[in-house]
């Protein structure tokens, strides 16, 4: 486990505050969600890794062979590496809670880490995730707060797959909220407000629970 496994940026927070890890979308970088994270959780320490895979020059967190067709071996590699990166930052920060926020490809790697390490994040906001496979959760998501946001006309993330992911997460015990809008793959104000509420309420209801 290394805090420097990924190129990343960090915004220090208040002592004992939550740790918020933010994961950018395809083609963006570690700067994309830093300010967004600070706005959502003003006191948090925010860590933003840059994806270590290049798709024709666009940074991603794992490889794919086509739209919605994932290289599952590389996803497994990336998931293990990212889980170690997050754990290293948790050990250093000793936060009151651990939050995750991901958009698009960033939501996909965050979701995959949640499946692999279900006790790592207290609350996770998955904005426009696309999970085209059946998750194998390594444990229980009981007590974990998860927000899914989606567009009913999203050409990248079909609504039926969002609903299927919701069902998987609920079946594994997660406290799931879904926030829809009538547009596409863009993030809209109601999603931002839903994420703000998720992170505001999660620590009061549970707090850090993975030692």
């Amino acid at each position: 486990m290394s805090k420097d496994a990924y190129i990343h940026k960090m915004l220090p927070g208040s002592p004992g505050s939550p740790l918020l890890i933010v994961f950018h979308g395809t083609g963006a970088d570690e700067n994309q969600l830093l300010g967004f994270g600070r706005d959502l959780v003003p006191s948090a320490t925010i860590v933003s890794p840059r994806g270590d895979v290049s798709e024709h020059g666009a940074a991603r967190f794992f490889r794919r062979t086509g739209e919605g067709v994932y290289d599952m071996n590389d996803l497994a590699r990336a998931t293990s590496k990212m889980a170690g990166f997050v754990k290293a930052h948790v050990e250093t920060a000793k936060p009151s809670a651990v939050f995750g926020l991901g958009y698009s490809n960033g939501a996909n790697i965050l979701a995959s880490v949640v499946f692999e390490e279900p006790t790592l994040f207290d609350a996770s906001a998955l904005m426009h995730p696309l999970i085209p496979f059946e998750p194998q959760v390594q444990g229980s998501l009981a007590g974990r707060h998860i927000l899914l946001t989606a567009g009913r006309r999203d050409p990248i993330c079909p609504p039926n797959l969002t609903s299927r992911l919701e069902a998987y997460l609920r079946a594994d015990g997660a406290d799931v909220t879904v926030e829809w809008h009538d547009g596409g793959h863009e993030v809209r104000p109601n999603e931002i407000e839903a994420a703000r509420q998720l992170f505001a309420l999660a620590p009061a209801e549970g707090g850090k629970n993975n030692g």
Side-chain angles (χ1 to χ4, degrees), residues 165-205:
L165 177 59
E166 176 191 4
Y168 287 145
L169 294 170
R170 288 193 191 280
D172 281 297
D175 177 359
V176 184
T177 302
V178 184
E179 186 71 26
W180 294 92
H181 63 63
D182 288 329
H185 202 57
E186 75 280 1
V187 173
R188 291 194 175 182
N190 64 308
E191 297 177 70
I192 296 171
E193 185 55 34
R196 195 188 315 279
Q197 292 182 16
L198 171 79
F199 296 137
L201 295 174
E205 294 180 8

Side-chain angles (χ1 to χ4, degrees), residues 7-8 19 23 31 37 41 45 48 51 71 77 79-80 87 90 103 121 141 146 148-149 170 177 189 191-192:
I7 295 170
H8 66 282
L19 175 66
F23 304 90
N31 297 297
V41 192
T45 293
S48 180
D71 180 331
R77 171 206 66 83
T79 300
S80 177
K87 288 178 182 178
V90 171
Y103 167 64
F121 290 95
L141 288 167
I146 298 178
L148 303 178
T149 75
R170 288 193 191 280
T177 302
E191 297 177 70
I192 296 171

Side-chain angles (χ1 to χ4, degrees), residues 66-152:
E67 190 67 61
V69 184
Y70 297 163
D71 180 331
M72 297 303 289
N73 289 331
D74 195 60
L75 177 57
R77 171 206 66 83
T79 300
S80 177
K81 179 179 177 181
M82 186 60 76
F85 174 81
V86 173
K87 288 178 182 178
H89 281 275
V90 171
E91 287 184 4
T92 299
K94 296 179 171 51
S96 58
V98 181
F99 298 153
L101 168 70
Y103 167 64
S104 195
N105 180 240
N108 298 336
I109 188 63
L110 173 56
S112 190
V113 173
V114 167
F115 304 150
E116 186 69 27
E117 299 277 355
T119 65
L120 186 52
F121 290 95
D122 296 290
S124 302
L126 306 175
M127 293 184 155
H128 300 262
L130 173 59
I131 303 299
F133 55 90
E134 181 174 349
Q136 301 297 317
V137 178
Q138 303 303 306
S140 171
L141 288 167
R144 308 294 147 177
H145 304 266
I146 298 178
L147 168 69
L148 303 178
T149 75
R152 298 188 189 280

Side-chain angles (χ1 to χ4, degrees), residues 22-69:
V22 298
F23 304 90
H24 65 77
T26 297
D29 62 19
E30 66 275 20
N31 297 297
Q32 184 184 40
L33 298 177
L34 270 178
F36 185 33
R38 172 60 79 227
D39 179 59
L40 290 176
V41 192
S43 66
T45 293
I46 301 168
V47 176
S48 180
R50 182 195 303 175
D52 60 351
V53 168
S54 175
E55 182 179 88
H56 308 297
R60 284 177 53 84
F61 289 102
F62 59 88
R63 300 185 189 283
R64 62 182 173 179
T65 57
E67 190 67 61
V69 184

